[in-house]
């Protein structure tokens, strides 16, 4: 193929792709408003152009399809045929075929072997129907039979140019009147390869095609120029030369103008992307039997070309999500009292130097409760965190990788991939995603996109003698705090906070985080920069706020990028390099450090941090003056009773508690300790004593102690070989003192009343291999002992994750006993994992969480039974049920 | 030495430099330029062998302190040099004490990294040139800059 010919084909491809790019949107619009003659004409012209070029260049498949479509369109144009949905479907399909052919031509230079005869046949049938229909009586215009037309098209390559020429005149001239195209409508003039030479000449005169790479390069050079300008401006500030100042100002104005103009050349209307959604939404909605009206506004809003490329996929994903998950089926909508037709709106507009794109639907919204539940399962939140979570934080969870609350995985969405990608893609270009949702009312996503990438407005600050820049997009406000006037930061748990109009925001000192020497600064005023990243607001304290500036963002080398707190570097007016602080990365760093710190401190403080293998122990003293401990998770309440209200039944002391009598346990007696129990000491006196209340099934037991000492957290291993008597579990070092752990089960069992209640455990006859997953080493030991003494072979996992692995390598186990609350992988997740491959093996959950809700959750996850942690008898009996 | 032998590959052109009393070199073709000390912007929380960032005519250069990378004694001298090298889209500066001449050295003098060299250094070099009066250690830019990859 000669160069000249190739050039023509390239021209043809560019033009045709351009023509076809909007045709889907126009067709769907036409479907909604079939009376829009102008629109129909625009479509007709496009297809006509395509047909003409195709026959001129000898692409026969393309020609046959376009010719048939054109003919049908002509009938519609002459009101001889009505465009119904199925016909529009056929058109859409035809244009898809056209596009596929064009792509083939683009890649191989010729049409592929793909067989389109089925499509052309259907087109032909439609055409014939139209012609035989009663309405197919045309006044004076000669209408060729369908057969004729197709044939004419097929052998068009031979006498193409002529043929096309003739047809153009034939079709166009009589239509001149109703072809009054409004000037604003920029549909390209009808042009066949030869016929419109003069027209396209005019167009070519006013525009030039420029390679995007060249534009990129120019943009870079302008970036350099901006830096240079900044340097000259800075320099001129320090000189007295009026001349230089004048030149510098001129340079400033010119550079700014140039920068704006160059940026404009790269701008494209977002409509280029939005238009595709007409088709996407239409197809999806039809496929799912939903009625959706799509409203698009702000198509003309412009964005940098590279940005448009980047946002295309995230936007498509969000739109698909809205159609698939957001908007309900017509029946559901009716049931919810909504209009059957769902509304999906896509809006683009400018706001605060950014482009905002909003995608909102009036569908079912996001169920925050379901999200929270799932987030807890996945370990994103802990249960104790939940009440303090803002709605915003909860909604943002859906951006976590792999997170999906969709009940069913469809081929469109719900696979848990996507939202995280949406977010990371948008953030990559310096934008942000906000989400808002009312359960039952709808969801809206708000994408903030910067106008351009390379040059951004930034706040320039100083800290520890170094200069830093912060993206303006993260900046909320600046606060200058004069401590001498009685305003100050508040300190909670060693962390600083500032009360900003009533709301407490965390405060971070930049130099502290970056390990800078604290500059001896004027301590009485603090510069707080209030930043917002991903919905989290925090204050950053710097030494000085210098300026706002347009900065040119330069990427950092890999290793420095990995620190994750810098968004890049820039060159300041004085030629020095300044680091750009990434507000989000910086916050994450601070947060991670705080978590680490908390974990370190948790061994001293009784703070609930979920680490592996740690247990909280309630410490108390008994009559012998020594310290004993009971795992906190076993204890239901701590009570104080008057010694006068103790009653006796036989040898057993009882007390009236919650409308029944609760046995009081004399630990000193049962454990054969020195010293006397409060029960004995206070007999006949009128004094209060402490009691640890433990519930087993519906019964409560009270352990009488001398005094409650403390609550401690320990990760130390329990020494079990130090036990010298029944009723003790072992010893443990907590804060350097030796603690004896009391085996509450055994003690309660060994009381007369316990024996009566639970009976002796018959452990002798069990046989089998079980997996035990339990994160607390205390419980692990108790249970291992229990199961082994019952004759079972016990495979031990310290958490759900180990459990999964054990199960993988020991799929033949007879039974699984698991805790629920475990780090890494919870009992629920463990059970779900097992159930993926094995539906039959009994899984017994042994937990302190036995509310109905927990049980329901457990059953869903695949638990066979859900037992209370304390009750050995019940556990063994249950196991016996399955293995006995 | 004739240009011919350089072309035929039996001679290597090296850019020599000194750190302390040690002689080192990089391939001359890897070197973009050598510049005097520049204003360095430190990068807090970066690995310690990264001195910071410098502005080389509008481009950002990451300065790598070879002394610290090799675990050698710190120098307080203000007198040092930046050897600018490029890798991919990024520019790096190797911060060294002193620049020597460009040397033409026969490949026959090249030996693989001796086992006796400290691991901190041997991880970043290709081998050693044995000259009559001294040893010249040939740095591997690839290995040094691959730090970036891990």
């Amino acid at each position: 193929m000669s160069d000249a010919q190739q050039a023509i084909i390239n021209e043809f491809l560019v033009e045709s792709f351009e023509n076809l790019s909007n045709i889907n949107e126009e067709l769907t619009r036409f479907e909604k408003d079939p009376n829009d003659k102008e629109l129909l004409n625009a479509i007709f012209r496009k297809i006509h152009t395509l047909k003409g070029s195709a026959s001129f260049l000898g692409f026969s498949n393309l020609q046959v399809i376009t010719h048939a479509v054109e003919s049908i369109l002509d009938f519609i144009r002459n009101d001889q045929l009505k465009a119904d949905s199925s016909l529009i479907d056929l058109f859409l399909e035809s244009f898809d075929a056209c596009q596929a052919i064009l792509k083939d031509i683009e890649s191989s230079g010729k049409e592929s072997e793909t067989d389109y005869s089925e499509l052309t046949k259907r087109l032909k049938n439609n055409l014939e129907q139209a012609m035989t229909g009663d309405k197919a009586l045309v006044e004076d215009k000669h209408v060729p039979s369908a057969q004729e037309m197709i044939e004419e098209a097929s052998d068009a390559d031979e006498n193409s140019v002529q043929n096309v020429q003739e047809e153009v005149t034939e079709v166009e001239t009589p239509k001149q009147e109703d072809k009054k195209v409004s000037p604003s409508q920029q549909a390209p003039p009808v042009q066949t390869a030869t016929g419109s030479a003069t027209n396209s000449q005019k167009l070519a005169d006013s525009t030039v095609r420029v390679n995007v790479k060249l534009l990129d390069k120019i943009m870079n050079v302008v970036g350099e120029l901006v830096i240079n300008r900044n340097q000259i401006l800075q320099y001129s500030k320090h000189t007295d030369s009026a001349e230089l100042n004048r030149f510098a100002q001129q340079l400033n104005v010119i550079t700014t103008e140039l920068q704006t103009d160059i940026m404009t050349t790269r701008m494209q209307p977002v409509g280029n992307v939005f238009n595709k959604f007409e088709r996407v939404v239409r197809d999806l909605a039809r496929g799912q039997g939903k009625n959706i009206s799509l409203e698009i506004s702000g198509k003309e809003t412009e964005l940098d070309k590279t940005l448009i490329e980047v946002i295309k996929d995230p936007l498509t994903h969000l739109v698909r999500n809205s159609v698939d998950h957001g908007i309900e089926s017509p029946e559901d909508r009716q049931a919810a009292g909504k209009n059957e037709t769902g509304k999906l709106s896509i809006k683009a507009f400018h706001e605060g130097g950014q482009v905002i794109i909003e995608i909102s639907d009036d569908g079912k919204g996001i169920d925050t409760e379901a999200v929270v539940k799932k987030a807890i399962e996945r370990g994103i939140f802990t249960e104790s965190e939940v009440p303090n979570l803002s709605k915003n934080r909860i909604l943002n969870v859906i951006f976590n990788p792999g997170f999906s609350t969709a009940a069913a995985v469809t081929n469109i969405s719900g696979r848990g991939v996507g939202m995280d990608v949406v977010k990371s893609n948008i953030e990559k270009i310096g934008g942000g995603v906000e989400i808002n949702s009312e359960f039952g009312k709808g969801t809206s996503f708000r994408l903030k996109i910067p106008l351009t990438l390379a040059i951004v407005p930034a706040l320039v600050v100083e800290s520890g003698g170094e200069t830093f820049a912060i993206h303006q997009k993260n900046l909320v406000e600046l606060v200058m705090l004069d401590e001498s006037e009685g305003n100050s930061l508040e300190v909670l748990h060693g962390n600083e906070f500032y009360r900003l109009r009533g709301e407490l925001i965390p405060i971070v000192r930049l130099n502290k985080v970056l390990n800078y020497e604290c500059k001896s600064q004027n301590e009485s005023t603090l510069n707080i920069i209030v930043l917002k990243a991903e919905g989290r607001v925090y204050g950053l304290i710097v030494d000085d706020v210098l300026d706002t500036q347009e900065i040119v963002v330069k990427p950092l080398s890999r290793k420095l990028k990995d620190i994750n707190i810098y968004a890049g570097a820039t060159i300041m007016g004085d030629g020095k390099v300044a680091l750009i602080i990434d507000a989000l990365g910086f916050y994450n760093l601070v947060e991670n450090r705080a978590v680490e710190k908390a974990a370190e401190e948790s061994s001293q403080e009784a703070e609930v941090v979920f680490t592996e293998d740690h247990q909280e122990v309630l410490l108390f003293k008994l009559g012998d003056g020594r310290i004993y401990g009971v795992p906190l998770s076993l204890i239901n309440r701590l009570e104080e009773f008057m010694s006068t209200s103790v009653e006796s039944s036989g040898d057993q002391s009882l007390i009236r508690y919650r409308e029944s009598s609760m046995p009081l346990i004399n630990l000193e007696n049962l454990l054969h300790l020195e010293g006397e129990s409060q029960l004995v000491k206070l007999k006949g006196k009128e004094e209060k004593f402490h009691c640890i209340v433990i519930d087993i099934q519906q019964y409560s037991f009270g352990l009488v102690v001398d005094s409650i000492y403390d609550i401690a957290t320990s990760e130390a291993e329990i020494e079990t070989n130090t036990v010298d008597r029944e009723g003790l579990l072992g010893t443990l070092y907590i804060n350097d003192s030796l603690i004896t752990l009391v085996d509450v089960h055994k003690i309660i069992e060994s009381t007369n009343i316990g024996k009566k209640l639970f009976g002796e455990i018959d452990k002798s006859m069990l046989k089998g291999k079980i997996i035990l997953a339990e994160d607390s080493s205390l419980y692990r030991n108790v249970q291992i002992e229990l199961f082994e003494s019952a004759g079972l072979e016990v495979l031990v996992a310290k958490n759900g994750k180990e459990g999964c692995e054990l199960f993988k390598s020991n799929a033949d186990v007879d039974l699984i006993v698991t805790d629920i609350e475990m780090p890494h992988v919870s009992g629920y997740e463990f059970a779900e994992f097992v159930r993926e491959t094995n539906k039959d093996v009994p899984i017994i959950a042994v937990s302190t969480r036995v509310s109905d809700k927990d049980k329901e959750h457990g059953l869903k996850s695949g638990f066979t039974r859900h037992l209370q942690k304390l009750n050995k008898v019940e556990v063994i009996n249950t196991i016996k049920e399955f293995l006995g | 030495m004739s240009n011919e032998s350089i072309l035929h590959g039996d001679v290597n052109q090296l850019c020599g430099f000194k750190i302390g009393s040690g002689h080192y070199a990089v391939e001359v073709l890897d070197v973009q330029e050598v510049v005097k000390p520049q204003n360095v912007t430190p990068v807090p929380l970066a690995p310690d062998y990264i001195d910071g960032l410098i502005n080389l005519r509008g481009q950002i250069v990451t300065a790598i302190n070879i002394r610290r990378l090799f675990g050698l004694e710190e120098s307080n001298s203000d007198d040092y040099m930046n050897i600018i090298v490029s890798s991919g889209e990024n520019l790096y500066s190797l911060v060294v004490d002193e620049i020597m001449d460009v040397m033409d050295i026969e490949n026959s003098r090249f030996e693989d990294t001796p086992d006796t060299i400290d691991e901190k250094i041997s991880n970043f070099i290709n081998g050693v040139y044995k000259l009559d009066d001294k040893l010249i250690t040939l740095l591997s830019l690839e290995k040094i800059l691959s730090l970036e990859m891990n």
Side-chain angles (χ1 to χ4, degrees):
Chain A
M1 194 176 290
S2 73
D3 278 0
Q5 214 174 347
Q6 185 60 49
I8 293 173
I9 290 186
N10 283 346
E11 188 71 19
F12 157 74
L13 286 172
V14 169
E15 180 193 273
S16 305
F17 277 129
E18 229 169 67
N19 265 342
L20 283 179
S21 67
N22 287 336
I23 211 152
N24 280 333
E25 181 247 341
E26 285 169 349
L27 266 176
T28 39
R29 227 168 62 206
F30 177 67
E31 187 183 15
K32 282 179 213 154
D33 183 10
N35 296 323
D36 193 340
K37 282 276 179 228
E38 245 165 49
L39 190 59
L40 179 60
N41 278 325
I43 299 169
F44 187 87
R45 277 193 303 274
K46 281 181 181 175
I47 203 72
H48 183 79
T49 307
L50 188 58
K51 185 191 81 171
S53 314
S55 61
F56 175 67
L57 293 166
F59 297 123
S60 55
N61 274 339
L62 194 58
Q63 194 207 347
V64 171
I65 296 172
T66 48
H67 185 83
V69 172
E70 186 195 10
S71 309
I72 300 175
L73 277 173
D74 198 35
F75 279 105
I76 299 174
R77 203 160 63 153
N78 294 329
D79 291 328
Q80 291 159 330
L81 189 67
K82 258 182 80 77
D84 56 8
S85 291
S86 64
L87 199 53
I88 299 283
D89 272 343
L90 185 61
F91 285 157
L92 288 171
E93 200 184 323
S94 305
F95 293 134
D96 284 347
C98 290
Q99 230 149 11
I101 296 173
L102 287 172
K103 277 188 186 137
D104 287 337
I105 297 172
E106 192 180 24
S107 57
S108 66
K110 57 181 197 303
E111 288 184 315
S112 71
E113 305 293 312
T114 320
D115 185 16
Y116 290 103
S117 58
E118 196 268 334
L119 177 64
T120 44
K121 207 172 140 208
R122 270 191 290 146
L123 282 167
K124 204 172 97 182
N125 289 343
N126 262 291
L127 191 56
E128 266 167 3
Q129 269 170 25
M131 290 172 51
T132 51
D134 288 341
K135 281 180 287 173
L137 297 165
V138 198
E139 318 90 76
D140 55 355
K141 197 170 162 239
H142 160 70
V143 179
S145 78
Q147 198 53 46
E148 250 181 274
M149 285 178 97
I150 301 292
E151 270 161 17
E152 182 191 323
S154 316
D155 51 39
D157 356 309
E158 282 97 318
N159 46 5
S160 53
V161 181
Q162 208 113 38
N163 217 342
V164 173
Q165 282 268 41
E166 275 167 23
E167 222 179 284
V168 173
T169 38
E170 188 189 331
V171 177
E172 287 308 319
T173 15
K175 293 289 155 229
Q176 216 61 301
E177 307 83 25
D178 58 39
K179 223 194 85 183
K180 276 177 207 137
V181 179
S182 68
S184 69
Q185 192 174 359
Q186 32 168 295
V190 175
Q191 40 176 255
T192 54
T194 50
S196 61
T198 44
N199 273 349
S200 59
Q201 194 68 46
K202 274 182 209 149
L203 254 179
D205 281 345
S206 62
T207 57
V208 177
R209 273 187 215 283
V210 183
N211 194 324
V212 179
K213 267 193 191 142
L214 180 62
L215 283 183
D216 284 343
K217 203 182 153 210
I218 296 175
M219 194 68 192
N220 277 338
V221 177
V222 170
E224 301 293 327
L225 185 64
V226 169
I227 293 173
N228 212 264
R229 182 236 3 224
N230 289 353
Q231 287 170 339
I232 289 176
L233 279 181
Q234 180 122 359
Y235 178 72
S236 70
K237 272 186 204 156
H238 302 297
T239 51
D240 298 331
S241 164
E243 196 91 339
L244 179 63
N245 267 312
R246 198 163 54 80
F247 287 142
Q249 281 316 318
Q250 265 176 20
L251 178 67
N252 186 12
V253 173
I254 296 168
T255 314
T256 311
E257 200 178 322
L258 180 62
Q259 189 193 325
T260 331
D261 288 349
I262 290 294
M263 265 157 65
T264 323
T265 62
R266 302 171 48 87
M267 292 298 191
Q268 287 193 326
V270 289
N272 289 359
V273 179
F274 285 7
N275 286 343
K276 302 200 166 45
F277 296 143
E278 297 264 7
R279 172 82 186 270
V280 170
V281 171
R282 177 188 182 277
D283 285 0
L284 279 180
R286 264 179 81 103
Q288 302 188 6
K290 291 178 181 174
N291 297 333
I292 296 177
S293 86
L294 175 65
E295 275 172 28
I296 297 182
S297 68
K299 273 186 199 175
E300 64 293 337
T301 317
E302 291 190 317
L303 263 182
D304 194 292
K305 185 181 164 62
T306 44
L307 293 179
I308 290 208
E309 289 300 315
V310 177
I311 62 167
K312 207 192 268 172
D313 288 345
L315 277 181
T316 314
H317 187 87
L318 291 176
V319 168
R320 281 168 162 265
N321 246 343
S322 282
V323 176
D324 193 32
H325 299 321
I327 294 174
E328 315 90 325
S329 63
E331 304 83 61
D332 286 354
R333 290 186 67 87
Q334 218 167 21
K338 292 183 189 175
N339 191 328
E340 268 185 42
T341 305
K343 242 208 262 153
L344 178 63
S345 88
I346 307 176
K347 270 188 244 170
F349 53 90
H350 283 269
E351 191 182 280
Q354 290 175 315
V355 168
I356 311 285
I357 299 179
E358 266 180 10
I359 299 177
S360 39
D361 61 60
D362 65 347
K364 58 174 172 263
I366 295 173
D367 182 358
T368 46
E369 270 177 35
V371 172
V372 166
K373 217 167 141 195
K374 188 113 181 191
I376 292 172
E377 271 173 53
R378 296 197 155 256
I380 298 166
F381 298 139
T382 60
E383 207 127 332
S384 55
E385 264 181 316
V386 171
N388 301 323
L389 291 174
S390 65
K391 188 176 173 195
N392 202 358
R393 283 264 327 254
I394 296 171
L395 287 176
N396 270 297
V397 166
I398 64 163
F399 293 116
N400 275 42
F403 195 93
S404 170
T405 54
V409 172
T410 70
N411 64 336
I412 297 148
S413 40
R415 283 160 297 187
V417 288
M419 289 313 277
D420 58 320
V421 181
V422 166
K423 188 168 162 215
S424 65
N425 276 352
I426 298 294
E427 278 175 0
K428 227 180 270 164
I429 55 170
V433 189
E434 281 173 18
I435 171 171
N436 218 321
S437 183
E438 266 325 298
F439 189 42
K441 287 190 183 153
T443 307
S444 93
F445 288 94
R446 199 179 152 95
L447 275 60
K448 290 186 179 176
I449 321 278
L451 288 172
T452 179
L453 285 182
I455 300 175
V456 297
L459 182 74
V460 182
V461 302
E462 196 191 284
S463 175
E466 293 294 333
T467 311
F468 295 92
I470 302 169
H471 273 234
Q472 203 107 294
K473 64 163 191 196
N474 295 113
L475 183 64
V476 182
E477 61 183 287
L478 297 173
V479 177
M480 206 170 186
L481 192 65
D482 197 342
E483 289 194 306
S484 61
E485 285 175 14
N487 304 315
S488 67
L489 300 176
E490 298 173 31
V491 181
L492 293 174
H493 301 298
N495 295 322
E496 290 176 306
F497 291 86
Y498 174 63
R499 201 171 283 278
L500 181 68
R501 287 183 291 279
E503 206 158 314
L504 222 45
I505 61 169
I507 293 291
V508 182
R509 287 175 194 262
L510 183 60
N511 45 15
K512 237 184 189 170
V513 176
L514 299 186
N515 304 328
Y516 264 113
E517 281 300 306
C518 210
K519 200 176 110 185
S520 63
Q521 50 176 309
N522 185 0
E523 276 295 337
S524 68
T525 53
L526 292 172
N527 289 302
I528 304 176
I529 302 170
V530 181
L531 297 174
K532 188 175 170 185
E534 232 182 67
R536 280 170 231 187
V537 178
Y538 67 102
L540 187 68
I541 294 190
V542 298
D543 292 350
D544 225 339
V545 177
L546 300 178
D547 202 359
T548 59
Q549 235 180 56
E550 299 252 287
I551 58 165
V552 180
V553 181
K554 307 244 171 192
L556 292 174
S557 64
R558 180 77 167 268
K559 197 85 198 176
L560 300 182
K561 255 184 219 157
D562 287 348
I563 311 175
N564 276 333
I565 60 169
Y566 305 115
T570 187
I571 293 170
M572 304 307 297
D574 60 2
K576 268 181 106 176
V577 179
L579 289 160
I580 304 168
I581 289 179
D582 174 7
L584 179 64
F586 191 81
Y587 186 80
N588 287 340
L589 174 83
V590 174
E591 207 179 34
N592 286 344
R593 283 194 188 173
V595 170
E596 278 166 31
K597 201 172 133 207
E600 266 170 42
E601 284 171 358
S602 69
S603 53
Q604 283 111 46
E605 284 176 36
E607 194 174 353
V608 189
V609 179
F610 213 57
T611 59
E612 207 163 343
D613 232 46
H614 83 137
Q615 38 232 339
E616 285 174 288
V617 181
L618 177 83
L619 306 181
F620 55 90
K621 282 188 179 170
L622 290 180
D624 60 356
R626 285 172 50 196
I627 302 170
Y628 293 83
V630 169
L632 197 59
S633 53
L634 289 185
I635 296 168
N636 295 82
R637 284 168 301 279
L638 298 177
E639 298 283 0
E640 279 183 346
F641 297 111
M642 288 305 291
S643 56
T644 44
S645 28
V646 178
E647 297 162 55
S648 291
S649 151
D651 283 344
Q652 184 63 54
S653 304
L654 297 167
I655 198 157
R656 207 139 178 89
Y657 183 66
R658 300 200 168 181
E659 278 149 43
S660 75
S661 50
M662 172 170 80
L664 292 175
I665 293 172
N666 181 335
L667 287 171
E668 287 83 349
N669 213 344
L670 279 171
L671 295 171
H672 310 291
L673 301 175
E674 287 165 25
E676 282 194 324
S677 166
Q678 291 287 89
L679 272 178
V680 181
K681 275 194 241 169
L682 298 180
K683 222 170 226 172
K685 294 184 190 164
E686 197 177 327
E687 255 178 75
K688 278 186 180 168
F689 64 94
H690 294 276
C691 192
I692 300 171
V693 179
I694 292 174
D695 294 345
I696 297 179
Q697 291 176 328
Q698 65 270 45
Y699 305 104
S700 296
F701 294 86
L703 308 183
V704 179
V705 301
D706 254 29
S707 60
I708 303 291
Y709 182 69
D710 199 358
I711 293 174
T713 311
S714 167
E715 287 174 43
E717 277 291 314
I718 299 166
E719 285 279 333
T720 45
N721 46 14
T722 47
V723 173
D724 62 344
R725 62 194 88 193
E726 283 276 292
L728 295 184
L729 255 183
T731 52
L732 189 65
Y733 271 97
I734 293 177
N735 300 346
D736 292 335
S737 37
L738 186 75
I739 311 292
T740 309
L741 287 177
V742 176
D743 188 343
V744 191
H745 306 89
K746 275 232 170 94
I747 288 176
I748 292 175
E749 272 166 32
S750 66
T751 59
N752 289 330
I753 192 145
K755 272 181 206 148
K756 232 178 268 165
L757 278 174
F758 306 120
E760 278 293 320
I761 302 175
D762 181 8
K763 302 172 179 169
S764 54
M765 42 198 292
L766 290 176
K767 223 178 160 185
K769 185 157 84 168
I770 69 168
I771 290 177
L772 167 69
E774 169 65 65
D775 63 318
S776 143
S777 67
L778 175 77
Y779 268 117
R780 224 163 37 228
N781 289 337
V782 171
Q783 295 189 63
I784 292 171
E785 198 213 298
L786 176 69
F787 297 149
E788 281 182 347
S789 69
L792 295 167
E793 184 189 347
V794 186
L795 303 170
V796 186
K798 288 195 190 115
N799 52 51
K801 203 170 152 197
E802 284 187 24
C804 293
E805 274 154 25
L806 264 180
F807 181 73
K808 257 192 263 172
S809 48
N810 297 283
D812 60 329
V813 290
D814 302 304
L815 188 131
I816 293 169
V817 177
T818 179
D819 185 21
I820 290 180
E821 294 257 9
M822 289 184 288
H824 306 312
V825 174
S826 73
Y828 296 129
E829 285 164 316
F830 179 30
E832 280 162 22
F833 175 83
V834 171
R835 286 294 176 238
E836 268 173 33
T837 52
N838 189 331
K839 298 265 178 273
D840 304 320
V841 61
I843 303 178
I844 300 176
V846 179
S847 166
T848 44
R849 280 168 60 169
V850 284
S851 72
D852 287 347
K853 215 176 146 196
D854 293 324
K855 284 190 173 168
E856 193 187 318
H857 188 175
L859 284 178
K860 251 189 226 157
S861 303
F863 293 159
T864 325
R865 289 292 166 85
H866 197 132
L867 306 178
Q868 196 177 22
K869 212 165 204 175
L870 205 59
N871 199 333
K872 277 185 192 175
V873 183
E874 202 184 350
V875 173
I876 284 290
N877 286 341
T878 310
I879 294 179
K880 216 187 279 174
E881 223 177 279
F882 293 110
L883 302 182
Chain B
M1 200 167 296
S2 71
N3 277 336
E4 212 156 292
S5 54
I6 294 174
L7 283 178
H8 285 112
D10 34 3
V11 160
N12 213 352
Q13 274 201 313
L14 301 178
C15 169
F17 58 89
K18 271 176 86 172
I19 297 172
S21 56
H23 290 260
Y24 300 85
V26 286
E27 306 260 356
V28 94
L29 291 176
D30 289 332
V31 178
Q32 179 182 315
E33 61 189 299
V34 174
V35 294
K36 289 190 291 195
Q38 305 278 316
N39 246 325
V40 180
T41 301
V43 183
L45 307 186
D48 69 338
Y49 60 82
I50 289 178
D51 265 356
L53 303 174
I54 55 184
N55 166 16
L56 184 73
R57 296 185 301 276
Q59 285 186 283
I60 307 269
V61 181
T62 309
I64 298 178
N65 188 320
I66 300 292
R67 213 174 238 286
R68 219 168 290 146
L69 184 66
F70 286 180
L72 302 172
E73 217 174 293
E74 295 279 321
S75 147
N76 294 321
S77 166
D78 289 338
D79 203 16
Y80 63 88
M81 289 303 260
N82 294 297
I83 301 177
I84 307 292
V85 297
S86 75
S87 157
E89 292 187 343
N90 296 317
L91 284 178
Y92 297 90
S93 152
L94 309 181
V95 178
V96 303
D97 285 0
E98 199 181 329
I99 293 289
M100 314 298 285
D101 292 331
V102 172
M103 302 171 282
D104 296 330
I105 301 181
E106 297 95 1
N107 279 337
S108 56
R109 292 182 179 272
F110 183 76
E111 283 176 22
D112 287 338
T113 312
D115 295 335
T116 48
I117 288 191
D118 183 352
E119 201 179 273
K120 268 189 183 150
I121 299 176
S122 69
N123 279 341
F124 303 112
I125 67 178
N126 273 340
V128 176
Y129 285 97
K130 256 193 183 146
L131 302 194
D132 297 338
D133 52 342
K134 62 192 173 211
L135 285 175
I136 294 179
T137 311
L138 180 67
L139 266 57
S140 162
L141 275 187
E142 206 182 316
K143 288 178 189 165
I144 291 175
L145 300 182
S146 74
L147 281 176
E148 294 285 302
M149 302 305 147
N150 314 322

